[in-house]
Amino acid sequence: MMVGIPGAKELPLPHKKPGVVANVVRGCLGNLVEWYDWFVYASFSIYFAASFFPKGNQTAQLLSTAVVFAVGFLMRPLGGWLLGLYADRFGRRAALTLSVTLMSFGSLTIAITPGYASIGILAPVILVVARLAQGLSVGGEFGSSATYLSEIATPGRRGFYSSFQYVSITVGQLAALLVMIVMQALLTEAQMYAWGWRIPFVLGAIAGLVVMYLRRSMMESEHFQRSSATGSRPRGGLRVLVRSHRRQVLAVLGLAIGGTVAFYTFTSYLQKYMVNTAGIPKQTASLIGFAALFLFIFMQPVAGALSDRFGRRPVMFGFSVGGMLLTVPIMTLVGKTSNPWIAFLLMITALVFLSGYTALSAIIKAEMFPTNVRALGVGLPHALATAVFGGLSEPIALALKQAGHESVFFWWVTGCVALTFVATWVVREPSRDSSLEVSALPARDSVAG
């Protein structure tokens, strides 16, 4: 079975669009802040776990915060559906503004919530509510952001420009790590545990409000404007998506499963793994993560440009084959080393093949759908994959560690990446006859069975 992209009898779009770089920056700025807020939770959970949950060993408290992290993922499919539908009906700009507002609300709530010692069970309950709001936000952000960046990019360079989605995600993560490194240098360990961890959430809430204002003046996608201007825009929605584009939806699910599991394993969990298993000091692990992720930024546009030159599938194959072959050796070696330089080189190796997925995550999915269901088609199946697989990565890893079978997690990641390999194998080259190179008039689906 080969999964294709929607064929189209549509009017061609202009091949030159003014202000592409400026629009990419505007589209990425809010994305950066949202993912800063999202990763602040993951980065600072080492410190605030004891504030929200009863006393216990470090692994048990981290497991509790990881479960709440996963709960936030459960809202992502709902966010992908509601905000994806909203973006397809009312515009990418409107959906992106709404998503950053929800994220800011969640961060502020976490920042001001008293600890378990003060309000008891209400503390973790409020934490869960805040994470639900943030999960809804991120679930809608991905599809809307991926769609916006893919639509405004210059034809022939869509892979390059859309790769900046994960550049902004990584910069957001770096910002969270930088705040942690600075605070670790300025505050004592006791201060970090007592109140210092609240500061990054306050910063995220303030930044979110600023971006909410900026996004209100962001230019709308030309694809959506043309779609709205025709007056006969085909109706979108979940029913249309399932009825007319089910194979594309399955393809996005398959591509996202291995990619999202590998992403959260190597960019988020790996730093906790260095501390909790390898015994590397927290400050050193933070520095390793910061340096590696900084280099990861520059891998994205390179991989995106390669996909413009050679196609999306060869680059995606590079990720999936590398992930299947290297995940177990890398995780095993990191767990056995106390040398920070070796840990750094191993993390860089993992990020090199991971960039083959992250750089293409937006464009390879957006090219499969017409304008009327593009944000929903990208956002909903991606959110489902991250909720079921990505959100459970850290809890599964920590639970297996507690059970004494930590190495099983490495094989679980490898198996998930294998699913992305299969999805890449059955997908036709999306950059050929891309639906993004045509306007938003009604399109006929062309999927070969």
PDB file of all heavy atoms in Angstrom, residues 46-71:
ATOM      1  N   ILE A  46      12.632  18.159  38.822  1.00  0.00           N
ATOM      2  CA  ILE A  46      13.593  17.661  39.819  1.00  0.00           C
ATOM      3  C   ILE A  46      13.452  18.439  41.115  1.00  0.00           C
ATOM      4  O   ILE A  46      13.609  17.884  42.212  1.00  0.00           O
ATOM      5  CB  ILE A  46      15.034  17.780  39.268  1.00  0.00           C
ATOM      6  CG1 ILE A  46      15.233  16.826  38.090  1.00  0.00           C
ATOM      7  CG2 ILE A  46      16.067  17.492  40.353  1.00  0.00           C
ATOM      8  CD1 ILE A  46      16.569  16.966  37.411  1.00  0.00           C
ATOM      9  N   TYR A  47      13.121  19.736  41.013  1.00  0.00           N
ATOM     10  CA  TYR A  47      13.049  20.597  42.191  1.00  0.00           C
ATOM     11  C   TYR A  47      11.653  20.704  42.788  1.00  0.00           C
ATOM     12  O   TYR A  47      11.498  20.789  44.002  1.00  0.00           O
ATOM     13  CB  TYR A  47      13.570  21.994  41.845  1.00  0.00           C
ATOM     14  CG  TYR A  47      15.046  22.004  41.521  1.00  0.00           C
ATOM     15  CD1 TYR A  47      15.485  22.173  40.206  1.00  0.00           C
ATOM     16  CD2 TYR A  47      16.004  21.837  42.513  1.00  0.00           C
ATOM     17  CE1 TYR A  47      16.835  22.181  39.900  1.00  0.00           C
ATOM     18  CE2 TYR A  47      17.361  21.835  42.213  1.00  0.00           C
ATOM     19  CZ  TYR A  47      17.766  22.005  40.909  1.00  0.00           C
ATOM     20  OH  TYR A  47      19.108  21.999  40.609  1.00  0.00           O
ATOM     21  N   PHE A  48      10.598  20.753  41.953  1.00  0.00           N
ATOM     22  CA  PHE A  48       9.283  21.000  42.533  1.00  0.00           C
ATOM     23  C   PHE A  48       8.495  19.725  42.834  1.00  0.00           C
ATOM     24  O   PHE A  48       7.399  19.790  43.382  1.00  0.00           O
ATOM     25  CB  PHE A  48       8.446  21.955  41.668  1.00  0.00           C
ATOM     26  CG  PHE A  48       7.976  21.411  40.348  1.00  0.00           C
ATOM     27  CD1 PHE A  48       6.954  20.477  40.290  1.00  0.00           C
ATOM     28  CD2 PHE A  48       8.522  21.867  39.165  1.00  0.00           C
ATOM     29  CE1 PHE A  48       6.491  19.994  39.076  1.00  0.00           C
ATOM     30  CE2 PHE A  48       8.072  21.393  37.940  1.00  0.00           C
ATOM     31  CZ  PHE A  48       7.054  20.453  37.905  1.00  0.00           C
ATOM     32  N   ALA A  49       9.051  18.563  42.492  1.00  0.00           N
ATOM     33  CA  ALA A  49       8.343  17.307  42.759  1.00  0.00           C
ATOM     34  C   ALA A  49       7.990  17.179  44.241  1.00  0.00           C
ATOM     35  O   ALA A  49       6.877  16.777  44.607  1.00  0.00           O
ATOM     36  CB  ALA A  49       9.184  16.114  42.313  1.00  0.00           C
ATOM     37  N   ALA A  50       8.931  17.550  45.122  1.00  0.00           N
ATOM     38  CA  ALA A  50       8.702  17.423  46.567  1.00  0.00           C
ATOM     39  C   ALA A  50       7.668  18.425  47.077  1.00  0.00           C
ATOM     40  O   ALA A  50       7.074  18.215  48.136  1.00  0.00           O
ATOM     41  CB  ALA A  50      10.012  17.620  47.313  1.00  0.00           C
ATOM     42  N   SER A  51       7.438  19.528  46.330  1.00  0.00           N
ATOM     43  CA  SER A  51       6.475  20.533  46.779  1.00  0.00           C
ATOM     44  C   SER A  51       5.034  20.085  46.548  1.00  0.00           C
ATOM     45  O   SER A  51       4.139  20.412  47.330  1.00  0.00           O
ATOM     46  CB  SER A  51       6.717  21.859  46.044  1.00  0.00           C
ATOM     47  OG  SER A  51       7.966  22.413  46.391  1.00  0.00           O
ATOM     48  N   PHE A  52       4.797  19.335  45.483  1.00  0.00           N
ATOM     49  CA  PHE A  52       3.434  18.975  45.122  1.00  0.00           C
ATOM     50  C   PHE A  52       3.011  17.584  45.576  1.00  0.00           C
ATOM     51  O   PHE A  52       1.821  17.265  45.546  1.00  0.00           O
ATOM     52  CB  PHE A  52       3.255  19.076  43.601  1.00  0.00           C
ATOM     53  CG  PHE A  52       3.137  20.495  43.103  1.00  0.00           C
ATOM     54  CD1 PHE A  52       4.247  21.186  42.637  1.00  0.00           C
ATOM     55  CD2 PHE A  52       1.920  21.150  43.103  1.00  0.00           C
ATOM     56  CE1 PHE A  52       4.150  22.485  42.186  1.00  0.00           C
ATOM     57  CE2 PHE A  52       1.795  22.450  42.653  1.00  0.00           C
ATOM     58  CZ  PHE A  52       2.917  23.125  42.196  1.00  0.00           C
ATOM     59  N   PHE A  53       3.971  16.764  45.983  1.00  0.00           N
ATOM     60  CA  PHE A  53       3.637  15.385  46.328  1.00  0.00           C
ATOM     61  C   PHE A  53       4.214  15.013  47.685  1.00  0.00           C
ATOM     62  O   PHE A  53       5.192  15.613  48.150  1.00  0.00           O
ATOM     63  CB  PHE A  53       4.159  14.433  45.251  1.00  0.00           C
ATOM     64  CG  PHE A  53       3.537  14.670  43.908  1.00  0.00           C
ATOM     65  CD1 PHE A  53       4.175  15.459  42.957  1.00  0.00           C
ATOM     66  CD2 PHE A  53       2.292  14.140  43.603  1.00  0.00           C
ATOM     67  CE1 PHE A  53       3.598  15.687  41.717  1.00  0.00           C
ATOM     68  CE2 PHE A  53       1.704  14.369  42.370  1.00  0.00           C
ATOM     69  CZ  PHE A  53       2.355  15.148  41.433  1.00  0.00           C
ATOM     70  N   PRO A  54       3.622  14.009  48.367  1.00  0.00           N
ATOM     71  CA  PRO A  54       4.111  13.590  49.687  1.00  0.00           C
ATOM     72  C   PRO A  54       5.565  13.149  49.622  1.00  0.00           C
ATOM     73  O   PRO A  54       6.085  12.795  48.558  1.00  0.00           O
ATOM     74  CB  PRO A  54       3.196  12.405  50.034  1.00  0.00           C
ATOM     75  CG  PRO A  54       1.989  12.582  49.195  1.00  0.00           C
ATOM     76  CD  PRO A  54       2.445  13.246  47.933  1.00  0.00           C
ATOM     77  N   LYS A  55       6.215  13.163  50.756  1.00  0.00           N
ATOM     78  CA  LYS A  55       7.628  12.804  50.823  1.00  0.00           C
ATOM     79  C   LYS A  55       7.833  11.351  50.411  1.00  0.00           C
ATOM     80  O   LYS A  55       7.028  10.486  50.686  1.00  0.00           O
ATOM     81  CB  LYS A  55       8.174  13.028  52.228  1.00  0.00           C
ATOM     82  CG  LYS A  55       8.242  14.490  52.635  1.00  0.00           C
ATOM     83  CD  LYS A  55       8.848  14.649  54.020  1.00  0.00           C
ATOM     84  CE  LYS A  55       8.948  16.126  54.392  1.00  0.00           C
ATOM     85  NZ  LYS A  55       9.527  16.305  55.748  1.00  0.00           N
ATOM     86  N   GLY A  56       8.947  11.090  49.733  1.00  0.00           N
ATOM     87  CA  GLY A  56       9.306   9.751  49.280  1.00  0.00           C
ATOM     88  C   GLY A  56      10.673   9.800  48.650  1.00  0.00           C
ATOM     89  O   GLY A  56      11.348  10.829  48.680  1.00  0.00           O
ATOM     90  N   ASN A  57      11.107   8.698  48.036  1.00  0.00           N
ATOM     91  CA  ASN A  57      12.411   8.735  47.380  1.00  0.00           C
ATOM     92  C   ASN A  57      12.325   9.529  46.084  1.00  0.00           C
ATOM     93  O   ASN A  57      11.236   9.766  45.552  1.00  0.00           O
ATOM     94  CB  ASN A  57      12.945   7.318  47.130  1.00  0.00           C
ATOM     95  CG  ASN A  57      12.050   6.518  46.190  1.00  0.00           C
ATOM     96  OD1 ASN A  57      11.818   6.916  45.056  1.00  0.00           O
ATOM     97  ND2 ASN A  57      11.549   5.393  46.670  1.00  0.00           N
ATOM     98  N   GLN A  58      13.477   9.918  45.581  1.00  0.00           N
ATOM     99  CA  GLN A  58      13.515  10.821  44.420  1.00  0.00           C
ATOM    100  C   GLN A  58      12.838  10.207  43.203  1.00  0.00           C
ATOM    101  O   GLN A  58      12.089  10.892  42.487  1.00  0.00           O
ATOM    102  CB  GLN A  58      14.965  11.175  44.075  1.00  0.00           C
ATOM    103  CG  GLN A  58      15.073  12.191  42.944  1.00  0.00           C
ATOM    104  CD  GLN A  58      16.521  12.494  42.568  1.00  0.00           C
ATOM    105  OE1 GLN A  58      17.323  11.581  42.455  1.00  0.00           O
ATOM    106  NE2 GLN A  58      16.840  13.756  42.413  1.00  0.00           N
ATOM    107  N   THR A  59      13.059   8.946  42.947  1.00  0.00           N
ATOM    108  CA  THR A  59      12.462   8.314  41.774  1.00  0.00           C
ATOM    109  C   THR A  59      10.942   8.314  41.867  1.00  0.00           C
ATOM    110  O   THR A  59      10.237   8.561  40.881  1.00  0.00           O
ATOM    111  CB  THR A  59      12.986   6.874  41.616  1.00  0.00           C
ATOM    112  OG1 THR A  59      14.406   6.906  41.446  1.00  0.00           O
ATOM    113  CG2 THR A  59      12.359   6.197  40.406  1.00  0.00           C
ATOM    114  N   ALA A  60      10.390   8.055  43.081  1.00  0.00           N
ATOM    115  CA  ALA A  60       8.934   8.043  43.263  1.00  0.00           C
ATOM    116  C   ALA A  60       8.337   9.421  43.014  1.00  0.00           C
ATOM    117  O   ALA A  60       7.277   9.548  42.379  1.00  0.00           O
ATOM    118  CB  ALA A  60       8.600   7.561  44.673  1.00  0.00           C
ATOM    119  N   GLN A  61       8.997  10.469  43.504  1.00  0.00           N
ATOM    120  CA  GLN A  61       8.485  11.822  43.289  1.00  0.00           C
ATOM    121  C   GLN A  61       8.586  12.226  41.818  1.00  0.00           C
ATOM    122  O   GLN A  61       7.680  12.859  41.268  1.00  0.00           O
ATOM    123  CB  GLN A  61       9.246  12.806  44.176  1.00  0.00           C
ATOM    124  CG  GLN A  61       8.918  12.648  45.654  1.00  0.00           C
ATOM    125  CD  GLN A  61       9.714  13.602  46.524  1.00  0.00           C
ATOM    126  OE1 GLN A  61      10.768  14.104  46.122  1.00  0.00           O
ATOM    127  NE2 GLN A  61       9.207  13.867  47.725  1.00  0.00           N
ATOM    128  N   LEU A  62       9.695  11.874  41.176  1.00  0.00           N
ATOM    129  CA  LEU A  62       9.836  12.153  39.753  1.00  0.00           C
ATOM    130  C   LEU A  62       8.791  11.392  38.946  1.00  0.00           C
ATOM    131  O   LEU A  62       8.259  11.905  37.956  1.00  0.00           O
ATOM    132  CB  LEU A  62      11.248  11.780  39.273  1.00  0.00           C
ATOM    133  CG  LEU A  62      12.378  12.720  39.673  1.00  0.00           C
ATOM    134  CD1 LEU A  62      13.720  12.162  39.227  1.00  0.00           C
ATOM    135  CD2 LEU A  62      12.173  14.113  39.079  1.00  0.00           C
ATOM    136  N   LEU A  63       8.499  10.173  39.372  1.00  0.00           N
ATOM    137  CA  LEU A  63       7.475   9.398  38.681  1.00  0.00           C
ATOM    138  C   LEU A  63       6.117  10.084  38.795  1.00  0.00           C
ATOM    139  O   LEU A  63       5.341  10.126  37.843  1.00  0.00           O
ATOM    140  CB  LEU A  63       7.411   7.983  39.256  1.00  0.00           C
ATOM    141  CG  LEU A  63       6.369   7.032  38.638  1.00  0.00           C
ATOM    142  CD1 LEU A  63       6.594   6.904  37.135  1.00  0.00           C
ATOM    143  CD2 LEU A  63       6.449   5.668  39.307  1.00  0.00           C
ATOM    144  N   SER A  64       5.810  10.659  39.961  1.00  0.00           N
ATOM    145  CA  SER A  64       4.544  11.370  40.149  1.00  0.00           C
ATOM    146  C   SER A  64       4.436  12.573  39.226  1.00  0.00           C
ATOM    147  O   SER A  64       3.403  12.796  38.583  1.00  0.00           O
ATOM    148  CB  SER A  64       4.409  11.819  41.612  1.00  0.00           C
ATOM    149  OG  SER A  64       4.376  10.714  42.484  1.00  0.00           O
ATOM    150  N   THR A  65       5.508  13.369  39.142  1.00  0.00           N
ATOM    151  CA  THR A  65       5.480  14.533  38.253  1.00  0.00           C
ATOM    152  C   THR A  65       5.452  14.099  36.793  1.00  0.00           C
ATOM    153  O   THR A  65       4.857  14.778  35.949  1.00  0.00           O
ATOM    154  CB  THR A  65       6.698  15.440  38.502  1.00  0.00           C
ATOM    155  OG1 THR A  65       7.903  14.690  38.336  1.00  0.00           O
ATOM    156  CG2 THR A  65       6.665  16.029  39.892  1.00  0.00           C
ATOM    157  N   ALA A  66       6.090  12.984  36.484  1.00  0.00           N
ATOM    158  CA  ALA A  66       6.065  12.486  35.108  1.00  0.00           C
ATOM    159  C   ALA A  66       4.669  12.028  34.716  1.00  0.00           C
ATOM    160  O   ALA A  66       4.244  12.201  33.566  1.00  0.00           O
ATOM    161  CB  ALA A  66       7.057  11.330  34.952  1.00  0.00           C
ATOM    162  N   VAL A  67       3.933  11.441  35.653  1.00  0.00           N
ATOM    163  CA  VAL A  67       2.560  11.034  35.381  1.00  0.00           C
ATOM    164  C   VAL A  67       1.701  12.261  35.090  1.00  0.00           C
ATOM    165  O   VAL A  67       0.873  12.255  34.173  1.00  0.00           O
ATOM    166  CB  VAL A  67       1.986  10.232  36.560  1.00  0.00           C
ATOM    167  CG1 VAL A  67       0.479  10.046  36.396  1.00  0.00           C
ATOM    168  CG2 VAL A  67       2.673   8.875  36.669  1.00  0.00           C
ATOM    169  N   VAL A  68       1.885  13.341  35.862  1.00  0.00           N
ATOM    170  CA  VAL A  68       1.157  14.584  35.593  1.00  0.00           C
ATOM    171  C   VAL A  68       1.565  15.150  34.234  1.00  0.00           C
ATOM    172  O   VAL A  68       0.748  15.686  33.487  1.00  0.00           O
ATOM    173  CB  VAL A  68       1.398  15.618  36.714  1.00  0.00           C
ATOM    174  CG1 VAL A  68       0.696  16.939  36.389  1.00  0.00           C
ATOM    175  CG2 VAL A  68       0.900  15.082  38.041  1.00  0.00           C
ATOM    176  N   PHE A  69       2.850  15.027  33.894  1.00  0.00           N
ATOM    177  CA  PHE A  69       3.341  15.433  32.584  1.00  0.00           C
ATOM    178  C   PHE A  69       2.583  14.664  31.502  1.00  0.00           C
ATOM    179  O   PHE A  69       2.151  15.229  30.496  1.00  0.00           O
ATOM    180  CB  PHE A  69       4.845  15.154  32.496  1.00  0.00           C
ATOM    181  CG  PHE A  69       5.508  15.705  31.262  1.00  0.00           C
ATOM    182  CD1 PHE A  69       5.730  17.064  31.129  1.00  0.00           C
ATOM    183  CD2 PHE A  69       5.945  14.865  30.252  1.00  0.00           C
ATOM    184  CE1 PHE A  69       6.364  17.583  30.004  1.00  0.00           C
ATOM    185  CE2 PHE A  69       6.580  15.369  29.129  1.00  0.00           C
ATOM    186  CZ  PHE A  69       6.787  16.731  29.007  1.00  0.00           C
ATOM    187  N   ALA A  70       2.400  13.368  31.730  1.00  0.00           N
ATOM    188  CA  ALA A  70       1.668  12.537  30.776  1.00  0.00           C
ATOM    189  C   ALA A  70       0.195  12.927  30.711  1.00  0.00           C
ATOM    190  O   ALA A  70      -0.424  12.868  29.647  1.00  0.00           O
ATOM    191  CB  ALA A  70       1.812  11.064  31.154  1.00  0.00           C
ATOM    192  N   VAL A  71      -0.386  13.311  31.853  1.00  0.00           N
ATOM    193  CA  VAL A  71      -1.786  13.744  31.880  1.00  0.00           C
ATOM    194  C   VAL A  71      -1.979  14.948  30.958  1.00  0.00           C
ATOM    195  O   VAL A  71      -2.996  15.065  30.258  1.00  0.00           O
ATOM    196  CB  VAL A  71      -2.221  14.086  33.320  1.00  0.00           C
ATOM    197  CG1 VAL A  71      -3.555  14.841  33.323  1.00  0.00           C
ATOM    198  CG2 VAL A  71      -2.354  12.810  34.140  1.00  0.00           C
TER     199      VAL A  71
END
